[in-house]
Amino acid sequence: MAQLVRPEALTLDRQEALGYVGYSGQVMSEDLLQRFEQLASACETTLEPVGVWDVFARAESETCAQSSGFDKQARSADQAQSYPGVQLVDGPWLAGADIANHLTGAKEVVLMACTLGAKSEHELRKYMALGSVDGVLYGACASALVESLANAVETSVVDFAAARGLRTNFRYSPGYGDMPLAVQPQFLRALNATTRIGLNVTPDNFLLPTKSVTAVIGLFDADAPVPGARTQCSVCQLRHHCELRKKGTFCHGFAANK
Amino acid sequence: MALPLTSETKLLADERVVDACIADMRIADVRIADEHLHQVLLGNEFLVFDGAMGTEMQKRGLALPGVVPDLLNITDPRAITEIHAAYVAAGAEVITTNTFGANSLKLEGRASVDEVYAAAVRCAKDAKARYVAGDIGPSGALLEPMGTLSFEDAYELFAEQVRAADKAGCDLILIETLADLREAKAALLAAQENTDLPIFVTMTFGEDGRTFLGTPPEVAAEVLSSLGAHAVGINCSLGPDELLPLAQSMAHRARCPLMVQPNAGMPRMENDQTLYDVTPEQFALSMEAMIALGASIVGSCCGSSPDFTRALRAVVDAAKSPKPRDFKPALVLASAQQALIMPTESSHIAVIGERINPTGKPRLQAALRSGNFDYLVGEAVAQVEAGADVLDVNVGLPELDEAATLTQAVDKLAATITAPLVFDSSDPDALVAAVRSYGGKPLINSVNAKRESLEAVLPLVKRYGCAVLGLTLDEDGIPPTAEGRLRAAERIVDAAERMGIAREDIVIDCLVMAAATNQDEAREILRAVTLVKEHLGVRTALGVSNISFGLPQRSLMNATFLAAAFGAGLDLPILNPLSARYRDVVAAYKVLCGQDVGSLAYIDAYATAPDPYAQKPTDQKDTQTSQVQVAQKATAFELPFPLTLALEDVSDEVTSMTYQILSGQKGSMAASTEVLLESKDALDVVNGIFIPALDEAGRRFDTGEFFLPQLMASAEAVKVGFDVVRERMASTSDVSMPSSQHTIAVATVKGDIHDIGKNIAKMLLENYGYNVVDLGRDVAPEDVVAAVQDQKITLVGLSALMTTTVKAMEQTVKLLHEKVPATRVIVSGAVLTPDYASKIGADYYAKDAAETARIAEQFFAS
């Protein structure tokens, strides 16, 4: 059964949180800094971050799943070329050339999902009502916290892999590159994530609670080449006209992971 | 006057009789198929439901991709009947129709709701089911505020299903697998108002013991059974062992039979099959424990099969009759996430925060008049942080539509805070409007002993499963003696119980009079509290601060009276939790009544706190210090724009205020604005400081000197100043601000719920003084046009985050240009570019909120 991860005393990276709202070294007033710190610690102390992950084998023959259910359809070689992706055994069809590339040579595949929980939605609305500045800063803190949570879940996966003499590559989320969000319902189903961690998906394939992350990690033999250094901008479809990149900041955190 | 004392045994016996009466009332007027089902509804006999439908479909190869399971009733009735028949043969008394997703939203016109239910019931009857349960699953859409489905629309979806199920010949309605308590409430109300069949409601919980929207089982049981469901419980979720503690929590709170349908353990995928890890034998064993804690309506859910039903049947037959539930009478007030539970036997106290009440609060009045419900959230959060357990919500202002205002206020509060609420209104229509869509169990404030009031309020308390606050006043006014107040309270309790309202749902307020005018009554009030508790066994409340009207040092008087009232038996003081003196008394008394176990909270709060009598108050000094610090910092600050002629003689003040704005300090803005307005014209302050300072913040944002929260903090500071100016102008009404004549509508387009960009733009525009009409998110093109036409708006801002919703943006722009050609449209959003904006026909492209404000300025200047 899938592993549950409940990190205790999770902290959020302040620089990263500020980075989400465009911080690139501006001089902040004491007042604003103090407000930010209060919100960050509220975020760390009142929410219940939780994650879940499981290991999936790759299907031997590449098959393309129907949009509903895991039922598979064999595909011809032609189709395999025009519809690249990775089929998991008892798991979803991960569509896209980018994810196929990401998992090239991977022995097994880990799916992970994590969330700040139902309360985070209430708190986000609360702080937005208390004032837009609080709302925006709290939202940024929650984004940074869910990133810390995803790191913690990833660490648990890395530890598991290391114990089996395997290596991992960076976590790749639906919505990166050409991997569609449409995979989310099956992704959550494969992990039983709604029951296990209260994570759900809207009809538009957005995760709910909003401060949640799903991701794919490849497990590789120790001597196998691992594709894809951790460059989140490199797989982003908006990289060519991104305002943040022009300013030298990044949506995934201040001056980190360029 | 001596009163006959009721013996405890007598009281208990009375309670049992009353409980039985209430159980009878619950099923009065219900269309019940036969005597066995009647006994089931009274909790006297077991009822066995069937098991998984989806799992059986999978086994038979019916669950093919793209197949809508509900349509199989029509396309393959024989297969469905076969599954039902297998469950009947295994001993299921109730067959659940294969209609889990049969609402008009999910069917998308492939068949009508009526057709599906008619076919489904036929399948169940062909299988020779003793009873047929019309199955209703979740709507499939998320309700507001998380999603976009309104409570009323959800109600309509469910109502259509209920009518179809009734028409098709069901014996009962089963609402199941709901995760949102508000949605469950919509379904239950829809069922109650569209059929007279029995209604069972079960919800699904996650591993953390809550629904994915955060509702714990005790809240679900309390709210749904108070509302009048004929059975409440849990289905799906987890395996039977994991569900035991959840079912136990429900048993304590369920006022009707408890229903449990667990999964066959936890699912795992193997060879593309979903497998469950519990065998029928293990399942039966676990269900014995479930029955021992009082579950009387049982079945199974995902992963089960007729073998599970057979094993369960054997357990039920062996148990013969249901065990009593360990129901724990208590006053329970609940939001959808959190309950205040005050067990009848305990001496615990809880604070009702009184601050959301416009009487004597001009800022709250103004907020309500302008529909600024965010202001209420601020008041609510402050009270909760100061220790309020429950919040009173009173939004009555003579010129407002109270039903609409109370509903909006309650919706806003329920979406942002989790404390249970008290609905405070004298207008029964307003109470009904607000209580229908509230996902919890509120306290209704109030009813009194006058016949007219009892007749108007108690029915709605009963109908919507609320608790009620009764005021001890009758046709002759407030009785001056304790005995008189007790008699009024008795009248309320009698009337409530006759109506079927349980005694634990009643709170009596013995009404505090001012000690300055009715000194003799102070002791009578305290005695009345004691008498009411002793003789009626109900909880008591008091609006504490009334005692000190007309006396100096009111907080001292209030706190002393509060301590005395606790001693007399007060459970629920209604007070201002921001008063430190009140908080001290509450914290101290919680030690004395045993609620603060080991005095831990008290020690934590007071061990290092200074004795307020041992030193002089320091507030004054602190304020001065902080002003000095600001001034010191401000001295190094140069005004970044030219000083206007009108403000030349106050250059220091202008510099200081501009510094406050640009450093985002809203704390001192109100005071400094007031000072300036004493000598200066409001327009000079606006045009000479607010606008140029905001422009400067916008410039700094553009150059990267500021990042977004700094720009926003500056805007917030200006808003505080603007509020002072507006108040001043409202009072003098000699001149109005130029920008407030300009109205801008903002909306996030249809299909998109990402409104943060729109909200920031709105805030900034408001802080420039514009009148902003916020149309919300997921707004249809026609709704934008209607609002624009209605309010003669000439500038509209549209936002969209997703590439998929830019289409809706294009449609909105097109429709606006077609219907209101004079109106101009600004578009903004992460995926838009200037080129794309012009391609979809927008008049302006704004890359961010600051640019939107600049465009507005140019637009209205030209």
Side-chain angles (χ1 to χ4, degrees), chain A residues 38-122:
Chain A
Q38 276 167 4
L39 292 164
S41 77
C43 201
E44 288 168 341
T45 52
T46 54
L47 303 179
E48 293 167 16
V50 60
V52 64
W53 61 267
D54 206 351
V55 184
F56 295 82
R58 301 179 68 137
E60 284 188 13
S61 61
E62 290 295 284
T63 54
C64 170
Q66 288 286 325
S67 57
S68 69
F70 299 144
D71 312 88
K72 287 175 289 187
Q73 236 183 16
R75 294 183 308 157
S76 68
D78 282 1
Q79 282 174 318
Q81 269 195 334
S82 49
Y83 300 104
V86 175
Q87 177 66 51
L88 302 181
V89 175
D90 298 326
W93 160 252
L94 305 174
D98 294 328
I99 186 68
N101 191 29
H102 184 72
L103 294 176
T104 301
K107 203 176 154 183
E108 287 173 307
V109 177
V110 168
L111 301 185
M112 57 166 273
C114 56
T115 179
L116 298 187
K119 193 169 183 198
S120 65
E121 287 294 313
H122 243 81

Side-chain angles (χ1 to χ4, degrees), chain B residues 129-194:
Chain B
R130 177 164 181 184
Y131 308 113
V132 177
D135 191 37
I136 296 179
S139 67
L142 279 161
L143 258 68
E144 293 165 339
M146 270 210 184
T148 53
L149 185 68
S150 71
F151 184 87
E152 293 73 26
D153 287 348
Y155 175 95
E156 289 305 330
L157 281 177
F158 292 127
E160 187 183 16
Q161 288 175 279
V162 169
R163 286 191 295 266
D166 186 331
K167 198 160 80 184
C170 291
D171 301 298
L172 60 100
I173 301 292
L174 174 63
I175 297 160
E176 54 136 333
T177 326
L178 272 80
D180 180 350
L181 186 55
R182 259 180 101 227
E183 188 178 347
K185 183 166 173 179
L188 177 54
L189 289 179
Q192 289 173 325
E193 290 161 11
N194 287 280

Side-chain angles (χ1 to χ4, degrees), chain B residues 9-197:
Chain B
T9 38
K10 171 89 169 22
L11 197 68
L12 277 176
D14 280 352
E15 271 175 14
R16 287 227 182 86
V17 173
V18 170
D19 281 350
C21 288
I22 290 175
D24 281 336
M25 285 174 79
R26 184 180 293 272
I27 57 168
D29 305 324
V30 175
R31 182 155 43 104
I32 305 171
D34 58 20
E35 184 51 27
H36 171 48
L37 191 56
H38 183 226
Q39 290 304 319
V40 168
L41 297 183
L42 289 173
N44 298 333
E45 291 177 14
F46 283 115
L47 187 64
V48 177
F49 266 70
D50 52 1
M53 169 57 76
T55 311
E56 290 300 300
M57 282 181 179
Q58 258 180 4
K59 269 188 212 159
R60 288 167 168 76
L62 298 169
L64 294 170
V67 168
V68 179
D70 310 276
L71 295 181
L72 289 171
N73 298 311
I74 300 168
T75 58
D76 199 350
R78 188 179 291 186
I80 300 301
T81 304
E82 201 179 284
I83 296 174
H84 288 329
Y87 280 113
V88 173
E93 295 163 275
V94 187
I95 290 300
T96 309
T97 57
N98 174 34
T99 51
F100 184 75
N103 66 44
S104 53
L105 194 73
K106 285 184 180 168
L107 289 173
E108 293 176 325
R110 284 174 286 223
S112 76
V113 172
D114 273 350
E115 283 166 341
V116 175
Y117 275 93
V121 171
R122 213 172 301 125
C123 291
K125 293 205 162 165
D126 286 351
K128 306 271 184 292
R130 177 164 181 184
Y131 308 113
V132 177
D135 191 37
I136 296 179
S139 67
L142 279 161
L143 258 68
E144 293 165 339
M146 270 210 184
T148 53
L149 185 68
S150 71
F151 184 87
E152 293 73 26
D153 287 348
Y155 175 95
E156 289 305 330
L157 281 177
F158 292 127
E160 187 183 16
Q161 288 175 279
V162 169
R163 286 191 295 266
D166 186 331
K167 198 160 80 184
C170 291
D171 301 298
L172 60 100
I173 301 292
L174 174 63
I175 297 160
E176 54 136 333
T177 326
L178 272 80
D180 180 350
L181 186 55
R182 259 180 101 227
E183 188 178 347
K185 183 166 173 179
L188 177 54
L189 289 179
Q192 289 173 325
E193 290 161 11
N194 287 280
T195 184
D196 52 3
L197 292 172

Side-chain angles (χ1 to χ4, degrees), chain A residues 1 4 6 17-19 21-32 35 48 50 56 66-72 87-91 117-119 121-137 139 181 189-190 192 194-204 206 208-210 238 241 243 247, chain B residues 58 63-67 140-142 145-146 204-208 211-214 237-238 266-267 269-274 277 337 374-375 377-379 381 385 412-418 633 663-667 701-702 704-710 712-714 716 751 753-754 756 759-760 763 802 830-831 833 845 847:
Chain A
M1 188 154 96
L4 211 61
R6 257 181 222 286
L18 289 172
V21 280
Y23 185 69
S24 55
Q26 289 89 348
V27 180
M28 284 167 77
S29 70
E30 192 68 21
D31 215 50
L32 192 59
R35 261 166 102 175
E48 293 167 16
V50 60
F56 295 82
Q66 288 286 325
S67 57
S68 69
F70 299 144
D71 312 88
K72 287 175 289 187
Q87 177 66 51
L88 302 181
V89 175
D90 298 326
K119 193 169 183 198
E121 287 294 313
H122 243 81
E123 294 292 291
L124 285 162
R125 284 193 297 265
K126 180 179 99 180
Y127 285 109
M128 200 41 100
L130 290 176
S132 311
V133 178
D134 285 4
V136 165
L137 287 176
L181 290 178
R189 203 143 71 82
N192 195 17
T194 302
T195 301
R196 301 222 58 198
I197 62 170
L199 181 54
N200 227 302
V201 63
T202 70
D204 299 321
F206 285 101
L208 205 67
T210 48
L238 297 173
H241 45 265
E243 287 289 329
K247 286 185 191 163
Chain B
Q58 258 180 4
L64 294 170
V67 168
L142 279 161
M146 270 210 184
T204 181
F205 298 84
E207 231 166 80
D208 65 349
T211 71
F212 102 90
L213 285 172
S237 319
L238 309 160
M266 295 294 272
M269 294 295 295
E270 208 174 291
N271 298 323
D272 280 346
Q273 296 283 321
T274 310
D277 54 8
Q337 296 80 23
D374 287 351
Y375 183 81
V377 179
E379 286 285 348
V381 170
E385 282 174 359
K412 184 78 192 183
L413 290 169
T416 48
I417 57 149
T418 53
K633 282 183 195 160
S663 56
Q665 298 177 45
K666 59 179 176 178
F701 177 67
D702 277 345
E705 203 177 326
F706 271 12
F707 74 125
L708 183 66
Q710 285 178 299
M712 293 172 68
S714 296
E716 263 189 9
I753 56 166
H754 302 87
I756 190 160
N759 292 341
I760 294 169
M763 175 212 178
M802 302 188 297
V831 296
T833 59
Y845 163 77
K847 70 173 163 58

